[in-house]
Amino acid sequence: MKIKLLSAAIAASLALPLSAASLVTSFEEADYSSSENNAEFLEVSGDATSEITTEQATDGNQSVKALFDAAFKPVIVWNWGSWNWGGEDVMTVDVVNPNDTDVGFAVKLIDSDIVNDWNDASQTSLDYFTAPANSTQTFSFNLNGGNEYQEHGENFDKNKVLGVQFMLSGSDPQVLYFDNIMVDGETVTPPPSDGAVNTHTAPVATLAQIEDFETIPDYLRPDGGVNVSTTTEIVTKGAAAMAAEFTAGWNALVFAGTWNWAELGEHTAVAIDVSNTSDSNIWLYSRIEDVNSQGETATRGVLVKAGESKTIYTSLNDNPSLLSQNERVSALGLRDIPAEPMSAQNGWGDFVALDKSQITAIRYFIGDLANGETSQTLVFDNMRVIKDLNHESAYAAMADAMGQNNLVTYAGKVASKEELAKLSAPEMAALGELTNRNMYGGNPDSSPATDCVLATPASFNACKDADGNWQLVDPAGNAFFSTGVDNIRLQDTYTMTGVSSEAESALRQSMFTDIPSEYVNENYGPVHSGPVSQGQAVSFYANNLITRHASEDVWRDITVKRMKDWGFNTLGNWTDPALYANGSVPYVANGWSTSGANRLPVKQIGSGYWGPLPDPWDANFATNAATMAAEIKAQVAGNEEYLLGIFVDNEMSWGNVTAEESSRYSQTLAVFNTDATDAANSPAKNSFIYFLSNDRYPNGIADLNAAWGTNYASWDAMRPAQELVYSSAMAADLQYLSWQFAFQYFNTVKTALKAELPNHLYLGSRFADWGRTPDVVSAASFVVDVMSYNIYKDSIAAADWDADALSQIEAIDKPVIVGEFHFGSLDSGSFAEGIVNATSQQDRADKMVRFFESVNAHKNFVGAHWFQYIDSPLTGRAWDGENYNVGFVSTTDTPYTLMTDAAREFNCGMYGTDCSGLSNATDAASRAGVLYTGTNIGVSHSGPEAPEPGEPVDPPIDPPTPPTGGVTGGGGSAGWLSLLGLAGVFLLRRRKV
């Protein structure tokens, strides 16, 4: 950042007092390069390029055009004195975003006291905003602090504002215009949070509350290098938390007291919620002492990443930590647990057993400050004693009779099976559908028809529009942006109970308070991973749907009606084929090339997360592909009109694009580890030798030896199995062979599909980031009709996902669909958020919309499907322990209202309609209108609030009679209408119109 030192004479007395609603500047002077050249005593400069222009002026004739080329390189409006804004509460500025994408930007104010230390963040106030694409909007900056993401320095003085900085918060180059800076005395109130809780806390039972930080505890003894204060910006319990600014490394917060935790259980832990508000990672350490410790005891540590919020805990028994996903699945059958251990692996010192009846100190301290930082801040909240999540006893009785979290209560938890049985009919009555689309969910006002993929489609096609954007096209010939939900089926709702005819798991058996009698598979497996390889599994969700809806047929009916109510126009991958005949919502079909009934054995090559790759030159592979295609044809028979396309296989381990080059081609090298001395043993290796000898080195084996540093006497000498070690000299050849391998796979699959279903889209195999390389993507692009990726990121934008992948997609210029994405949180009782985390259900909804928006804005992308319809089982998916809160419905089939309302609004507006009215309707009559026929906006379908665990439950009573003409929600009573709104979900301009 350019620093302009001010002389004391200039800084002393040029303050310009302003009254309420006063104009600061609209940039009408001829020159803002120095104070001598303008009467306003202002200068516009900074690291970013800027100019005064007549373009995009919102007040007067001029504005500031800022050409940003990197994040946090500012354009600065300097006052060669200082503004006295003591009587003002808000600064506003007009911002014009001429770009076709949303732009995140920041505004930072500095006061004149910062001249003593230009790195002093206490003299600044910083806040973040998003300018929607192609918009002009006025943004408000709170001069007193208090916005949700505002970083307001404790010493910032609005009487002495010296400069206003504008800068990008993202890295992609952008152009923005700024004009009409004003100040006003009216305070902007930050949006209210739900009970002042704005990030999650681990959903585990509190055995003893130590501190909730509504005030700074008087038994806290911070070291001299730690400044503490209360904050309301990041809170997990109550209305306040404690911010601790560490100004030097190895300084500590010492809670000095006397606690008796001896009666709380044998295996317990001290837990605390911590949030890192700094821009750099922080190593945090803990030390717990008893009356005999005298300061000498084990230190345990954890890394808290920049911007991260999580619950951490320190075992009072120093039980070994389960740090990796593999360890957790193997020991518990759970992919993730809801808090992170302060572990011995990240600490030091031998543990000495604590006297839990006389705990005298709890210490938290950091290591060295990050390079270049003068301070780093952590926010602490909700310090308590919990069961030790390092020990199996913490998981006893964690699931109630409906598969819900039995340890805590939370919003949406159903109180009883009796209440669950009352929820279906009121929801069914409230469901409606969007009206601004055709019978397939397409855009009736758009009919792209250039450069189509299929010449004579029986149902769906993919075509470019006149602007060069790829679009799916429905049977009516209309543009179709596919938004859908995956895994609408019961298969993945099963969880292992621990009962087995082989090795049983007492730990798994202890997790359940009750096992339902229906939907029990006594011999599930063998599974991918977990403490029980094969045995009894149960679906709580399936049992709950029978209680809620009476039958699977009613469940399927209400599921389709929900899709239409929420605006989704596609049933995503792994939908139960029984839903294909729904007759109103399009669907995708799927198949497996090597697994399933009537498959022949195929040579398997290499390894990978989900398994090895099939040898695509094996004759049995082509036979199996034909068998698969016939299966799909039988499943879709009679319902081809609504078949959007076909996925085959999933997330294959082609090679890790994010890994180092030496491991990127491990699957290709694995072909050489097979034995091809008998031609039937390794068709792939025979093919590789053919390509090398004919295409790459036609002059003989000597040329290959020279390139690879090998000494083969002949091409036949390569045929026996061997271990080849990667070298960079082999890279080009391995890329070529990888391309050929992938092309043979995709082409064989497509040949089989087109023989049975010639006029339907082949959607590929859904690439994962850890299972693709540019060579494989290139090969697929020559074969598939639509490329597919599973993208678990905040968006598909280059800054969030993969700039190289986007560049390749744009160069290939094929249509692309996202097969999976999701966000999860811990505020629904789940023990795990998912692959990409959110802080709350509202944050899930906001992030989902932002992801959909990023897909909708890209010219190659034609849709995205959320993974998945139903939350994973609390106690872990039977197959592999996945236990995420990533569903649109919970294990009781209760929809997440914030998610469904956000989806409806996005889906309504994705073709360009202004649908903002859907989110702020206040009564049933206004919710049903020209865009939407139902009355389901903001309605909770979870029934009365579940009691805290251990509280007596009153016997069920008949609900009151609902008023005529009203909408009933959960429990059949009229009191469950919850207008939750969609705070933070902005109406953005859509591209797909």
Side-chain angles (χ1 to χ4, degrees):
M1 178 184 299
K2 177 182 177 183
I3 296 175
K4 193 88 168 184
L5 297 178
L6 306 181
S7 69
I10 294 176
S13 60
L14 291 179
L16 302 175
L18 293 168
S19 59
S22 296
L23 177 68
V24 177
T25 181
S26 61
F27 305 103
E28 298 306 302
E29 294 294 327
D31 188 358
Y32 284 90
S33 63
S34 70
S35 62
E36 293 80 12
N37 295 337
N38 63 79
E40 292 180 343
F41 291 95
L42 302 182
E43 178 177 344
V44 179
S45 60
D47 289 342
T49 302
S50 65
E51 62 179 289
I52 302 298
T53 178
T54 57
E55 302 169 8
Q56 306 289 357
T58 63
D59 181 67
N61 298 314
Q62 296 187 155
S63 67
V64 173
K65 181 179 183 180
L67 295 90
F68 298 107
D69 62 0
F72 296 104
K73 290 178 64 174
V75 168
I76 311 170
V77 181
W78 294 103
N79 179 5
W80 285 86
S82 62
W83 289 295
N84 178 0
W85 293 344
E88 317 298 344
D89 294 317
V90 179
M91 185 199 79
T92 62
V93 61
D94 296 343
V95 181
V96 179
N97 176 9
N99 306 288
D100 291 330
T101 58
D102 304 341
V103 176
F105 70 98
V107 179
K108 183 177 183 180
L109 272 56
I110 60 175
D111 68 24
S112 57
D113 291 336
I114 202 170
V115 297
N116 299 314
D117 180 1
W118 288 95
N119 294 314
D120 185 0
S122 73
Q123 308 293 159
T124 70
S125 186
L126 173 68
D127 204 357
Y128 298 86
F129 307 89
T130 298
N134 300 296
S135 69
T136 299
Q137 189 168 321
T138 301
F139 292 86
S140 298
F141 187 104
N142 276 5
L143 298 174
N144 304 313
N147 277 346
E148 183 178 3
Y149 300 109
Q150 190 169 5
E151 302 168 20
H152 191 73
E154 60 184 351
N155 298 321
F156 175 75
D157 190 346
K158 63 182 180 180
N159 289 289
K160 302 178 180 179
V161 177
L162 172 66
V164 180
Q165 302 181 13
F166 303 108
M167 47 199 162
L168 291 184
S169 55
S171 57
D172 290 340
Q174 302 284 358
V175 175
L176 292 176
Y177 295 84
F178 300 90
D179 200 7
N180 196 28
I181 300 176
M182 301 185 73
V183 289
D184 199 311
E186 180 181 356
T187 300
V188 176
T189 303
S193 60
D194 182 14
V197 178
N198 54 30
T199 193
H200 54 228
T201 186
V204 294
T206 295
L207 304 179
Q209 189 73 41
I210 302 173
E211 185 57 54
D212 58 12
F213 298 106
E214 300 305 285
T215 60
I216 302 299
D218 55 13
Y219 55 88
L220 173 62
R221 306 287 184 267
D223 288 347
V226 187
N227 303 314
V228 297
S229 60
T230 57
T231 180
T232 59
E233 293 186 6
I234 302 178
V235 179
T236 62
K237 180 178 175 58
M242 182 183 74
E245 180 194 23
F246 294 86
T247 61
W250 307 104
N251 279 252
L253 297 167
V254 183
F255 297 90
T258 301
W259 295 277
N260 179 2
W261 300 329
E263 306 303 320
L264 297 181
E266 181 179 356
H267 294 280
T268 52
V270 173
I272 194 167
D273 301 333
V274 59
S275 302
N276 180 0
T277 65
S278 303
D279 295 329
S280 303
N281 299 341
I282 298 176
W283 277 102
L284 179 67
Y285 301 99
S286 68
R287 186 178 295 161
I288 298 177
E289 304 169 11
D290 65 9
V291 68
N292 301 312
S293 296
Q294 298 180 346
E296 295 299 326
T297 188
T299 297
R300 300 296 177 246
V302 69
L303 181 67
V304 187
K305 296 178 181 178
E308 185 178 30
S309 295
K310 60 186 174 183
T311 301
I312 59 175
Y313 64 94
T314 306
S315 170
L316 293 172
N317 295 67
D318 207 37
N319 290 312
S321 303
L322 300 173
L323 293 183
S324 73
Q325 186 179 99
N326 288 341
E327 288 175 318
R328 294 188 290 270
V329 173
S330 178
L332 305 173
L334 305 175
R335 275 200 182 180
D336 284 308
I337 58 177
E340 190 164 344
M342 307 283 282
S343 67
Q345 291 94 322
N346 295 317
W348 60 88
D350 295 331
F351 180 79
V352 177
L354 293 167
D355 182 349
K356 297 178 197 174
S357 67
Q358 299 185 79
I359 300 296
T360 58
I362 308 167
R363 296 176 181 267
Y364 293 102
F365 57 98
I366 71 168
D368 292 319
L369 292 175
N371 288 338
E373 299 287 352
T374 58
S375 69
Q376 290 183 270
T377 298
L378 294 171
V379 175
F380 296 89
D381 204 2
N382 195 20
M383 184 161 63
R384 71 273 196 201
V385 180
I386 64 171
K387 291 183 178 180
D388 184 3
L389 293 170
N390 291 348
H391 192 265
E392 64 182 28
S393 60
Y395 305 93
M398 65 182 284
D400 69 12
M402 291 183 281
Q404 302 176 113
N405 190 327
N406 189 51
L407 307 176
V408 295
T409 194
Y410 47 87
K413 184 178 181 181
V414 176
S416 66
K417 287 189 175 181
E418 291 78 10
E419 294 296 341
L420 181 63
K422 302 172 185 177
L423 299 179
S424 187
E427 183 189 1
M428 187 76 85
L431 297 174
E433 61 182 294
L434 298 175
T435 60
N436 61 336
R437 64 262 321 278
N438 68 16
M439 64 181 289
Y440 302 101
N443 179 5
D445 299 321
S446 178
S447 301
T450 62
D451 298 329
C452 293
V453 171
L454 301 179
T456 55
S459 59
F460 284 80
N461 206 340
C463 308
K464 278 189 176 182
D465 62 21
D467 296 322
N469 300 311
W470 278 102
Q471 310 271 9
L472 292 173
V473 179
D474 65 30
N478 295 139
F480 182 95
F481 184 74
S482 177
T483 62
V485 182
D486 291 331
N487 226 20
I488 309 176
R489 63 178 183 176
L490 301 184
Q491 182 174 332
D492 286 330
T493 63
Y494 282 81
T495 188
M496 303 301 289
T497 67
V499 176
S500 176
S501 59
E502 301 174 357
E504 294 200 329
S505 171
L507 184 153
R508 291 290 305 177
Q509 293 178 44
S510 75
M511 291 181 175
F512 307 98
T513 61
D514 185 33
I515 299 295
S517 59
E518 303 296 327
Y519 292 93
V520 176
N521 184 333
E522 296 292 351
N523 195 35
Y524 190 103
V527 305
H528 179 265
S529 50
V532 178
S533 60
Q534 190 159 358
Q536 186 187 74
V538 64
S539 171
F540 284 93
Y541 178 82
N543 279 275
N544 290 336
L545 77 83
I546 297 301
T547 301
R548 184 168 183 139
H549 305 298
S551 73
E552 283 191 45
D553 286 341
V554 177
W555 169 73
R556 282 189 282 268
D557 185 31
I558 200 171
T559 298
V560 172
K561 285 181 168 62
R562 282 172 174 173
M563 293 299 113
K564 298 178 74 172
D565 181 87
W566 304 341
F568 289 114
N569 60 14
T570 310
L571 306 181
N573 206 37
W574 300 310
T575 289
D576 184 345
L579 288 162
Y580 292 174
N582 74 85
S584 60
V585 181
Y587 64 93
V588 297
N590 69 281
W592 296 100
S593 65
T594 56
S595 62
N598 304 315
R599 299 297 197 272
L600 300 174
V602 172
K603 182 72 175 180
Q604 301 293 303
I605 296 174
S607 62
Y609 185 81
W610 296 117
L613 294 178
D615 185 333
W617 284 280
D618 189 326
N620 284 352
F621 179 74
T623 302
N624 288 344
T627 301
M628 172 200 66
E631 290 172 350
I632 297 172
K633 182 178 181 179
Q635 289 175 347
V636 306
N639 304 299
E640 294 91 343
E641 179 184 1
Y642 281 85
L643 173 59
L644 186 152
I646 304 161
F647 291 110
V648 175
D649 296 328
N650 181 62
E651 294 185 339
M652 302 173 75
S653 298
W654 299 104
N656 191 341
V657 72
T658 65
E660 60 186 14
E661 192 174 62
S662 61
S663 62
R664 187 172 297 184
Y665 302 104
S666 58
Q667 287 291 118
T668 308
L669 285 170
V671 172
F672 290 97
N673 297 341
T674 61
D675 185 356
T677 51
D678 181 336
N681 282 353
S682 182
K685 188 168 184 179
N686 281 318
S687 297
F688 275 17
I689 293 173
Y690 173 85
F691 290 129
L692 289 172
S693 60
N694 286 273
D695 297 350
R696 305 295 291 174
Y697 300 100
N699 294 327
I701 191 71
D703 287 351
L704 178 137
N705 287 332
W708 287 19
T710 53
N711 56 1
Y712 295 112
S714 66
W715 293 111
D716 285 340
M718 295 187 74
R719 297 189 187 281
Q722 57 204 272
E723 293 284 343
L724 282 177
V725 178
Y726 173 84
S727 70
S728 58
M730 303 165 67
D733 293 326
L734 294 179
Q735 291 167 9
Y736 180 82
L737 296 174
S738 176
W739 191 99
Q740 295 289 353
F741 191 107
F743 181 84
Q744 179 70 13
Y745 163 84
F746 285 108
N747 198 48
T748 303
V749 170
K750 182 174 183 177
T751 299
L753 288 177
K754 296 301 181 179
E756 299 286 358
L757 296 160
N759 297 319
H760 293 278
L761 295 170
Y762 173 29
L763 305 176
S765 63
R766 300 148 51 93
F767 291 123
D769 284 352
W770 47 262
R772 62 175 168 84
T773 67
D775 324 300
V776 172
V777 171
S778 172
S781 74
F782 278 84
V783 177
V784 304
D785 298 318
V786 178
M787 306 285 287
S788 55
Y789 295 75
N790 293 347
I791 302 176
Y792 286 99
K793 301 292 182 182
D794 285 333
S795 77
I796 68 157
D800 291 326
W801 180 42
D802 187 326
D804 291 335
L806 284 171
S807 295
Q808 185 178 22
I809 286 169
E810 291 161 3
I812 289 171
D813 196 23
K814 296 275 287 191
V816 178
I817 195 166
V818 177
E820 294 180 18
F821 77 101
H822 70 213
F823 305 95
S825 181
L826 296 179
D827 60 349
S828 65
S830 171
F831 265 29
E833 299 105 316
I835 297 175
V836 187
N837 300 343
T839 60
S840 65
Q841 295 305 310
Q842 180 65 68
D843 194 35
R844 285 182 75 205
D846 294 347
K847 287 184 172 181
M848 173 189 67
V849 169
R850 286 193 289 269
F851 190 98
F852 272 131
E853 289 284 2
S854 72
V855 174
N856 186 264
H858 196 283
K859 67 177 184 178
N860 289 96
F861 282 75
V862 296
H865 299 163
W866 174 276
F867 187 87
Q868 58 185 358
Y869 180 53
I870 307 159
D871 276 345
S872 305
L874 174 74
T875 48
R877 185 170 67 181
W879 173 242
D880 61 353
E882 190 169 289
N883 59 330
Y884 301 152
N885 161 232
V886 294
F888 265 79
V889 299
S890 70
T891 191
T892 59
D893 199 42
T894 299
Y896 290 103
T897 305
L898 290 168
M899 291 287 293
T900 61
D901 284 353
R904 184 186 300 107
E905 186 180 357
F906 171 81
N907 286 325
C908 174
M910 67 186 179
Y911 296 133
T913 306
D914 181 356
C915 296
S916 57
L918 286 178
S919 65
N920 54 29
T922 57
D923 56 61
S926 63
R927 286 194 295 276
V930 295
L931 294 174
Y932 170 63
T933 64
T935 53
N936 196 35
I937 298 172
V939 179
S940 169
H941 297 288
S942 60
E945 183 177 345
E948 291 285 350
E951 289 184 1
V953 179
D954 294 331
I957 59 175
D958 292 333
T961 302
T964 59
V967 177
T968 58
S973 70
W976 302 109
L977 182 61
S978 173
L979 295 177
L980 299 175
L982 289 174
V985 180
F986 300 109
L987 177 68
L988 304 179
R989 178 177 175 181
R990 320 296 185 188
R991 180 183 63 79
K992 303 288 186 184
V993 297

